[in-house]
Amino acid sequence: MGTFEKVVNRKNTKSVKWDMVKKLYGSNEVIPMWVADMDFPVPNAVTETLSERVSHQIYGYTLTDANVNQSVMNWVKRRHQWDIDENWIVYSPGVITTLHLAVQAYTEPGDAILIQTPVYAPFYDLVNLHDRKLLTNPLELRSGKYEINFNHLETQFQKGVKAFILSNPHNPVGRVWTKEELTRMAKLCEQYDVLILSDEIHADLIHQPNSHIPIASLCQEIANRTITCMSPTKTFNLAGLRISFAIISNKEKKLLLKKQFKKQGLGILNTMGILALEAAYQEGEEWLEELLEVLDTNISLVRDAFSTRDEITLIEPEGTYLLWLDCRAMRLSQKELKQFMQEDAKVGLNDGIEFGKEGEGFMRINVACPTETLHLGLNRILEALHKRAL
């Protein structure tokens, strides 16, 4: 697993994670373990494909042809047991881009849109920036596991919710929704005629024995009201190449979204992103399996690190490489908790409050990094906890 053990210096590469440390955390000594990209080199097949194109020296307009479509179809079938048609695929620079356009395409100002909190911060912008009405269905932490309050969800839907933005796997709490949970949500969406905008960007990053189920794969009726957003960018560390896709089986809904893309002038994709998607989906599976083993090891390191501490509890992740840490036992204000992490421990984590008021007392840590980096970060937190306890 040499690829995943090597510490690559990302400083001075215009990296959001590494070159904004002082601006965000006040000191260059802070180890950044926040934004959702990995500190691992991409699969060799991706590097070779992009290097070949670089040596070609021409980067003109590039299309997504039948081979690219087939790569997506094969991947979704192989990894998620979902048969899709190439005519259902709509390519996009990013999942959040697609969701912004979907909100504009399928809802009107004033329409109610529901999200399940705490949740990925840009979800709030998807509603508020377009003058839609934000409704929430807060997840409930029960015996160390987040669950859905279905009675409350139905009560919210009864208020006339137009669209439901689903995070599956859920960021930041790490839940991979079960077939039973997805089915219950889907039935409520049918009953109250709610459109499902499903963010499934972390779909490939699943920890055993869990398995990802695209909500649209449950049945045709659900697929008919679902816009599924996926991408190889989280899976293969390609975020800067700006490539994703939506899967839409409903022809009318697909045309509405494509029209919205055209209105915004978003018809052309990144040449390198297209090539990277194709190479990763065709030849990156072995790399992904190794990555999942590394993530399991890293999650165990976090679990072990805090197993003897009462102050911080790991919420066991079922998917993603983003771990949700319950720090409420430290009895600090959110400002004090943030200061403890960046000033005392000198690690740069995501402030839980970014994900909504339900994130108060929590922090999010990214463990997609070499073991050496993770050990350093964890040791800093443990040492700071020890000093605080003295």
Side-chain angles (χ1 to χ4, degrees):
M1 296 185 184
T3 296
F4 301 99
E5 294 172 351
K6 181 181 179 182
V7 177
V8 179
N9 184 3
R10 297 183 62 191
K11 293 179 180 179
N12 302 314
T13 63
K14 297 181 173 61
S15 163
V16 169
K17 181 189 286 185
W18 288 91
D19 290 331
M20 290 184 67
V21 169
K22 187 170 184 179
K23 180 178 180 180
L24 292 174
Y25 298 105
S27 169
N28 283 322
E29 295 179 17
V30 170
I31 301 173
M33 306 180 78
W34 61 289
V35 71
D37 70 11
M38 297 189 261
D39 293 329
F40 300 132
V42 301
N44 289 335
V46 172
T47 301
E48 292 166 2
T49 296
L50 298 186
S51 296
E52 183 178 339
R53 188 52 181 260
V54 167
S55 63
H56 183 255
Q57 299 183 16
I58 298 176
Y59 316 116
Y61 298 122
T62 304
L63 54 81
T64 51
D65 60 11
N67 290 333
V68 177
N69 293 339
Q70 194 64 53
S71 298
V72 170
M73 293 162 62
N74 291 346
W75 184 263
V76 172
K77 170 66 173 177
R78 194 163 62 249
R79 301 298 298 192
H80 309 300
Q81 295 72 56
W82 186 20
D83 284 304
I84 64 172
D85 189 287
E86 66 176 336
N87 294 316
W88 300 355
I89 303 171
V90 177
Y91 292 97
S92 165
V95 164
I96 292 299
T97 300
T98 301
L99 291 172
H100 273 288
L101 296 180
V103 166
Q104 295 174 74
Y106 305 124
T107 69
E108 300 292 336
D111 283 347
I113 298 178
L114 182 137
I115 60 178
Q116 293 176 313
T117 54
V119 76
Y120 184 47
F123 277 23
Y124 293 89
D125 288 341
L126 290 170
V127 182
N128 295 327
L129 290 179
H130 301 293
D131 300 317
R132 272 57 171 176
K133 181 180 179 182
L134 177 67
L135 293 182
T136 65
N137 171 227
L139 301 175
E140 298 183 351
L141 185 55
R142 303 171 185 163
S143 302
K145 182 176 181 177
Y146 279 89
E147 297 181 1
I148 298 166
N149 183 331
F150 284 97
N151 290 332
H152 182 263
L153 179 61
E154 182 168 10
T155 298
Q156 295 293 69
F157 279 174
Q158 288 170 347
K159 296 177 181 179
V161 168
K162 183 80 172 189
F164 165 35
I165 307 175
L166 173 66
S167 181
N168 181 34
H170 192 282
N171 175 14
V173 308
R175 277 301 316 277
V176 174
W177 304 117
T178 64
K179 185 174 183 179
E180 178 186 4
E181 289 169 321
L182 291 169
T183 300
R184 289 185 69 181
M185 286 189 283
K187 285 183 177 179
L188 286 172
C189 289
E190 277 194 290
Q191 182 178 347
Y192 294 99
D193 192 23
V194 176
L195 177 72
I196 303 170
L197 305 177
S198 189
D199 177 354
E200 304 189 13
I201 196 169
H202 294 279
D204 300 320
L205 302 166
I206 308 299
H207 312 305
Q208 295 295 331
N210 305 285
S211 59
H212 175 75
I213 302 171
I215 192 168
S217 70
L218 293 175
C219 64
Q220 186 54 50
E221 290 76 18
I222 300 306
N224 201 44
R225 66 172 61 253
T226 301
I227 311 302
T228 302
C229 299
M230 291 182 166
S231 173
T233 55
K234 287 290 183 283
T235 309
F236 297 104
N237 205 25
L238 308 174
L241 295 182
R242 310 295 296 142
I243 185 72
S244 75
F245 54 92
I247 302 171
I248 312 170
S249 61
N250 182 292
K251 186 175 181 181
E252 181 181 343
K253 287 184 173 63
K254 178 190 172 186
L255 290 175
L256 279 173
L257 186 62
K258 292 195 74 171
K259 182 179 179 181
Q260 194 64 39
F261 269 86
K262 189 173 183 179
K263 285 170 67 175
Q264 301 297 331
L266 291 171
I268 302 298
L269 293 173
N270 183 308
T271 297
M272 297 304 186
I274 295 170
L275 297 175
L277 176 150
E278 188 174 21
Y281 279 166
Q282 289 183 359
E283 302 180 65
E285 199 154 15
E286 183 178 345
W287 181 95
L288 174 57
E289 292 300 332
E290 289 187 18
L291 168 67
L292 292 172
E293 290 182 20
V294 171
L295 294 181
D296 284 342
T297 298
N298 285 359
I299 292 167
S300 293
L301 290 174
V302 176
R303 184 186 300 116
D304 293 344
F306 298 125
S307 63
T308 59
R309 305 294 313 195
D310 296 328
E311 302 97 326
I312 298 177
T313 301
L314 170 66
I315 302 299
E316 285 293 334
E318 297 172 348
T320 86
Y321 50 73
L322 306 166
L323 307 191
W324 195 231
L325 302 178
D326 185 349
C327 308
R328 291 175 296 174
M330 294 181 70
R331 301 189 183 282
L332 298 175
S333 69
Q334 197 65 27
K335 181 179 179 180
E336 291 170 336
L337 177 57
K338 184 177 180 180
Q339 288 177 336
F340 170 83
M341 290 297 180
Q342 71 182 53
E343 295 177 14
D344 297 348
K346 289 187 168 47
V347 292
L349 309 185
N350 286 99
D351 187 350
I353 206 73
E354 295 175 14
F355 304 93
K357 62 182 181 180
E358 295 84 4
E360 187 171 359
F362 293 81
M363 300 294 281
R364 191 188 77 171
I365 183 172
N366 179 345
V367 299
C369 58
T371 302
E372 179 181 333
T373 304
L374 182 59
H375 269 304
L376 184 58
L378 291 174
N379 286 339
R380 286 187 178 189
I381 296 173
L382 292 173
E383 288 172 8
L385 287 172
H386 179 69
K387 289 180 181 178
R388 182 174 181 269
L390 293 176

